[in-house]
Amino acid sequence: MNLDDIRKLLKELLIESLSLEDIEPDDIGDDEILFGEGLGLDSLDAVEIVVLLQRNFGLEVKDMNQGKEIFYSINTLAKYVYENTRT
């Protein structure tokens, strides 16, 4: 799976897992900030993303300071998944 495939999958999973209504994957920019003024996600959504990463990619994010960097945008999430799932 390349980075583009991971970005697309992450957008689909976020929309489904977070019940983001009226949002399509193409509506989420790759560099759009996911929390606060960007997509508007909150701390509860961060917990859902942790579960999403664990369930779909077998990845754990235990350090929330690291999580802030990883969860910044689709690009940062995709890079984390790509770098940590390659064999």
Side-chain angles (χ1 to χ4, degrees), residues 1-63:
M1 190 178 300
N2 64 35
L3 272 171
D4 286 336
D5 293 336
I6 294 171
R7 284 186 198 100
K8 182 179 179 197
L9 178 59
L10 284 169
K11 289 176 183 180
E12 292 169 353
L13 290 170
L14 284 176
I15 290 169
E16 180 183 323
S17 297
L18 304 178
S19 300
L20 300 176
E21 297 177 3
D22 301 325
I23 295 180
E24 297 293 325
D26 289 340
D27 295 338
I28 303 173
D30 293 342
D31 285 321
E32 183 175 353
I33 299 169
L34 297 178
F35 291 86
E37 68 215 34
L39 193 57
L41 303 184
D42 59 25
S43 58
L44 292 177
D45 296 323
V47 173
E48 288 292 327
I49 294 173
V50 169
V51 172
L52 180 156
L53 290 175
Q54 187 172 25
R55 185 174 296 151
N56 293 281
F57 302 101
L59 298 175
E60 292 189 22
V61 179
K62 293 181 180 177
D63 180 351

Side-chain angles (χ1 to χ4, degrees), residues 75-87:
N75 271 336
T76 57
L77 265 175
K79 182 179 174 194
Y80 179 76
V81 169
Y82 182 74
E83 291 177 347
N84 290 283
T85 57
R86 293 188 328 179
T87 55

